[in-house]
Amino acid sequence: MISALCINLGKGKTEIHEPERSLKIDDFVQNVASKYKPDIVFSQDAYATKNLEKITRNLSNNIEGSSFVLKKNVINENTKDHVGIFLNEKIYQIIDIENECRKVLENKRLANADFFNEDKRAVLVLAKTIIGGQKFLLSSFHAKKNKINDPQREKHIIEFFSYLEGVAERVKPDHILVGSDTNHRMKLFERRTKTK
């Protein structure tokens, strides 16, 4: 059985700045880690590298026998906006799929040069359970929010799923698990894209 958590680390509509927010997030992660013992944690949004490192330590220190690592893409160096996946290396072996991801993007961009042009908004990891050998294709995705309208954001989300599907076809996982912040009203999206 897998145990996963998805955390949006941004300030949202609050005025709580990162130093204060990070204290609250640290407490939350420590409590969730000790109570629920997640194997995988997905994260999105602006958060300093030093605070992401604290999450890694808080997970490892509050789940007995664990050793967490972070795989991430930085979307914006100035704001530290990122997508990340924290994985317990005592449970999962991480398999490098960088070439497969690159090949999927290259192939998709032959037909559409602008296909998923902000590819740093998703990080994909193939993780194989050490016991049992089950392969999980994991992704953390953070859709565009600013300076974009709903139809453009829907195109962006659809392209992410197409990218994910293309990678899945290449790496043949047993399961796919995504943690995301779509910045979108998904019920309307589902109705508008039902036939796509």
Side-chain angles (χ1 to χ4, degrees), residues 28 35 40 50-51 78 167:
F28 172 78
K35 186 173 182 179
I40 299 165
K50 67 179 183 180
N51 290 325
N78 294 327
V167 173

Side-chain angles (χ1 to χ4, degrees), residues 71-73 83-85 120-125 138-140:
K71 299 296 181 183
K72 70 175 181 170
N73 279 342
V83 286
I85 303 172
K120 293 292 184 197
R121 291 191 164 277
V123 61
L124 279 70
V125 173
L138 308 170
S139 182
S140 183

Side-chain angles (χ1 to χ4, degrees), residues 26-80:
D26 288 346
D27 286 343
F28 172 78
V29 170
Q30 289 171 13
N31 290 333
V32 167
S34 61
K35 186 173 182 179
Y36 297 104
K37 301 176 183 9
D39 310 319
I40 299 165
V41 177
F42 301 97
S43 65
Q44 304 88 25
D45 228 319
Y47 209 58
T49 300
K50 67 179 183 180
N51 290 325
L52 289 171
E53 290 168 358
K54 285 196 312 190
I55 291 176
T56 305
R57 284 192 304 275
N58 285 331
L59 289 165
S60 294
N61 292 339
N62 287 283
I63 300 173
E64 189 177 332
S66 68
S67 176
F68 278 82
V69 295
L70 171 62
K71 299 296 181 183
K72 70 175 181 170
N73 279 342
V74 176
I75 299 166
N76 183 320
E77 282 292 339
N78 294 327
T79 65
K80 298 302 180 196

